[in-house]
Every structure is written in C-alpha cells, then in structure tokens.
Amino acid sequence: PAAHGPPLAGARLELAQPLPARDAFDLLVVMGGPMNVDEEERYPWLAGEKRLVAAAVAAGRKVLGICLGAQLLASALGGRVHRHRHREIGWFPVRHAPGADSHPLAAALPDGLVAFHWHGDTFDLPPGSQHLFESSATPHQGFALGAGVVGLQFHPEVDRAAVEAFIRHGADELAAAPFVQDEAQMLTDPARFAALANALPPFLDALAAAR
C-alpha cells in the first residue's frame, strides 16, 4: 500500500472524531495507546472501537491491529487480554513462531527483526487464529485469523520522532527491568529505524494482496 498510494482516512477517537462506517474501508488499521482494553469507563470510545473491529472481521474486511490495536483485535475475537509478567519496552528481536513460515504475513517480515516494543499487557491467541510471532519476553507477539486479519503486539511503524514521543509521555514506565531499555538505548542506533522502514512496506503489500 505504501508504494501504491491508496486513499487513506483516519479517526482520532480521543478527540471525539467519529468511527468510520463498516462499509467505508477495505482495510482497517487499529493503532496503539496507553490505555488498557477494559478501560471503557475512562475511555468510552473503546466500546465502539471494539464493535467496529468485530464487525469489520465479520464482514470480511482486512484488519491490522498494532500494540493496543492487536489487543483490541484479540479481545474482539475471543482472546483474553491481561497484565503481562514483564514490561517490554525498547528494541528486541521478533522471531517467527513455530510453523508460521507457511503464512504469507509471517514470511513477509524478516525472522529475527529487531522491532520496537512498548507494552505491559499481553493477549492469549484468539480461537482459530495462527500464531505468527514471538519474542523472548512475550510469547504472543502476533497472530493471524485467515489471510487478512492480523494483530502485532510490537511496533513495525515507528520512526525516531515516534519513539521520542513515547519516551516523553511514558517516562514513568522506564524503571529498570529485564526487558526495559533506557532512553539512550532506544535512540542511539539509527540503523534500527532504517531496518523497520525497509521491512514494513513488503508486509503491508502482503496484507493488501491477501485473499
């Protein structure tokens, strides 16, 4: 999609922008945020977002969930989302899960890609889904339901400015822990950003081509 330039539209739910109609898109991308999937009382728009995700899957639309978006997708598909035993913040390798190479969306990302992470929750694999990705800290880093519905716990989309914003808004989460890096570790290697920028377009193309 990045190479072909399809029309894009977005909604910032925290600014009370309306959700799109189910029939208004071919591919729904659900992004991250600092909230948890069950905080509907504090963030009322989560309920409508979950309904849209479930409706998009039921209608056969393609769906990509990233970080919180993957957790919302897992929840909408019947997977449990819960507090993880580790916080995973920083750059860590993401491996193909056993048997995942047969799925084109796993094959579209390099095995062992050093991706960016910022999460304290995790999910159980939804019923009927295929396990795609794992990391040392988090066994369930990604799953697919069929060919065109995929959740990624890690961030394949970040650039330096995005990571700087994560650090600025989430500095209180950077207490030392086995899978938590400090600011310098997250920002000093530009090659990591370049590798993600090169890896994401083939993945999106594979998702666009899914049947």
Side-chain angles (χ1 to χ4, degrees), residues 32 35 53 71 74 98 126 187:
M35 60 290 300
V53 170
Q71 296 167 8
L187 293 175

Side-chain angles (χ1 to χ4, degrees), residues 71 80-84 119-124 138 140 153:
Q71 296 167 8
R80 183 175 69 103
V81 179
H82 53 93
R83 181 62 61 185
H84 195 12
H119 65 101
D121 286 353
T122 188
F123 51 77
D124 295 339
T138 305
H140 295 159
Q153 181 59 69

